[in-house]
Amino acid sequence: MILVLRNLQRAVPLRRARLRKKVQTVTATHGLCHLLGFTHSTEAEWQKRYQKEKQVLEELSRHTGTRFLPLNRGLF
C-alpha cells in the first residue's frame, strides 16, 4: 500500500514521515483484524473489531514506546 500525505494548510506544521508511519501501522492493524474475521457491519461487530484492534495496538505500543490508537467509527 502506498500512502501519500499532503499538507494543504499552513497553520499547523506536520511531520509527514512520522504521521505516515503511524497511519500505515493503524491501517495495517485494521486490515489484519479483517483478515482475522472481524468486521464492522453492525454495532456489535464494530465493538468486537474495535476491542481486538485496540488490544493489538496496545501490545504494539508497549513494545515500541509509541502510542497507537485504533481507527475510530468516523474513519471506516
Side-chain angles (χ1 to χ4, degrees):
M1 172 178 76
I2 297 173
L3 178 66
V4 177
L5 298 173
R6 292 180 60 202
N7 185 2
L8 300 177
Q9 54 85 41
R10 302 277 184 232
V12 179
L14 295 175
R15 297 192 182 271
R16 289 183 296 177
R18 183 179 295 165
L19 179 60
R20 182 181 299 113
K21 182 177 180 183
K22 285 189 175 188
V23 170
Q24 285 177 333
T25 299
V26 169
T27 305
T29 306
H30 184 86
L32 176 63
C33 286
H34 279 290
L35 291 173
L36 293 172
F38 292 91
T39 62
H40 45 73
S41 301
T42 67
E43 180 68 23
E45 290 175 345
W46 183 88
Q47 288 291 338
K48 286 163 84 173
R49 194 246 351 123
Y50 182 85
Q51 291 304 318
K52 179 53 73 175
E53 190 173 329
K54 183 178 174 192
Q55 178 186 12
V56 169
L57 289 172
E58 285 174 350
E59 188 68 18
L60 185 60
S61 295
R62 193 171 65 79
H63 286 288
T64 64
T66 302
R67 186 167 179 247
F68 294 107
L69 300 171
L71 293 176
N72 66 34
R73 185 182 318 273
L75 295 177
F76 67 83

